[in-house]
Amino acid sequence: MTHPSTQPDALAIAASIRAGEVTAREVVEESIARIEERNPELNAVVGRRYDAALADVDAGLPAGPLSGVPFLVKDLGTEVAGVPSTSGSRLFADHVPAADSEIVRRYKAAGLVVLGTTNSPEFGLNASTEPLLHGPARNPHDHSRSTGGSSGGSAAAVAAGMVPAAHATDGGGSIRIPAAACGLVGLKPSRGRTTGHPDTGTLAGPVSVPHAVTTSVRDSAALLDVIAGPLPGEAFSAPAPLTTFLDAASREPGRLRVGVATEVNGFDVDPACRDAVLAAAKLCEALGHHVEETTAGFDPAEVAASSSVLMGADLVVIIEDRLAELGRENLGPGDVEPFTEMLYGYFSTLTGTQVHRALRAAQDIGWRLGAHLRRYDVLLTPTLTAPTPPLGLLDTSRPEVMWQHGSTYSAWTSVLNVTGMPAISLPLGQAPDGMPVGVQFAADLGREELLISLAAQIEAASPWC
């Protein structure tokens, strides 16, 4: 298998198309061939629209910096017309949307060519992509290991070189976790940076945000430019960037104050994950930044208590609305996975007061972390407390196992969803067994430009090839 770092990134592919070195159709056909060759082993792609994609190319693509680049969309909460939108669940196995979600319309308007959809755990409730509906996605670096989740199918597809970049979403680390597991760049934007329309996600909206997994920082920036901006009437809106995010990728960040945290309450951090952070800290120091040790600035137990209620309430609405659509009152045997069924039963008893308290707690966590970040421009942490798990460790058919292991893989990531702050995982480390290890940089709300500038500077100084 060709490592993605040996292949051109999305911007380079688009430049080759503009220069006439290759046609968009040739690029798309080659990407389709790679998916068909590599997907049987990896199970990253679950929905296809090859004929429609080629028809899009033949009809003429919109001009843009990414025109002609093949792309995949995560099968969770984002719909591609004519392709099953299952959210990894048997309850939605036959749901085929008639229209694209707004973010997909924006991708297509930028000239990206959507080839299909990628594997996701049921309703995104797992830090590993192992849905019973589609089966597990496998890590290209080691097929016995997880891809992470919930954007694991997208990460596997990019890491395997099927496409140069793919759509992803992040409600508790679901962009950054698979990016770390698969050796990619994974930026979670600020709350309100873009829209989830038509998925209202009233309660998950404060914590979940879409973007992408990529091989390069500049691709992440360019894709964020494509989707950034709320629709009129949006409940949340992030501050507009000064210029473009792609411009930020070529701009020096200046001398930054970097706070480094490697310990968090209640979790042991694997030495490989800690070492990756410390090495990244030394690199930042060598680049001229002021670096100092600090504390995490949050308690994962408090974060979990808030985020679980917000996302749990949304899960109940999703299931109840689907049952109403099907003309049913109750879930049937096998409709959802055992872990989902347990969560649905538990969160169905939530009161409005409990949900309101969770929202208040989320704001309080944000204020406290924000006060902590006043001393620093960025906070440097592990992305994960442990390297990539084996497939089967996070088993949704055994809810007790999920309770035991699940939070291990979101201890450092979920807080940035609850607070709405942006964060990026960069593939700067390696475990003793050769698996990639990510480190996370976080900043205050609306400061994606700063993270992109710093990440691009780090990538130039220490390329992850």
Side-chain angles (χ1 to χ4, degrees), residues 169-196:
T169 60
D170 195 316
S174 291
I175 289 175
R176 292 157 289 154
I177 293 170
C182 295
L184 301 174
V185 175
L187 170 65
K188 182 203 83 69
S190 293
R191 174 180 300 149
R193 179 58 66 198
T194 187
T195 182

Side-chain angles (χ1 to χ4, degrees), residues 170-172 191 199-209 235-236 305-318 320-321 347-348 350-360 362-363 417-420:
D170 195 316
R191 174 180 300 149
D199 180 10
T200 51
T202 305
L203 294 173
V207 296
S208 184
V209 61
F236 305 98
S306 173
S307 63
S308 63
V309 168
L310 297 178
M311 300 191 78
D314 196 61
L315 171 67
V316 172
V317 172
I318 289 170
E320 288 184 349
D321 285 355
F347 288 116
S348 291
L350 284 174
T351 65
T353 300
Q354 287 174 295
V355 173
H356 186 66
R357 288 189 185 280
L359 287 166
R360 289 169 66 101
Q363 178 59 84
N417 299 89
V418 167
T419 64

Side-chain angles (χ1 to χ4, degrees), residues 17 23 121 130 298 357 389:
I17 294 171
T23 68
E130 306 179 39
F298 65 94
R357 288 189 185 280

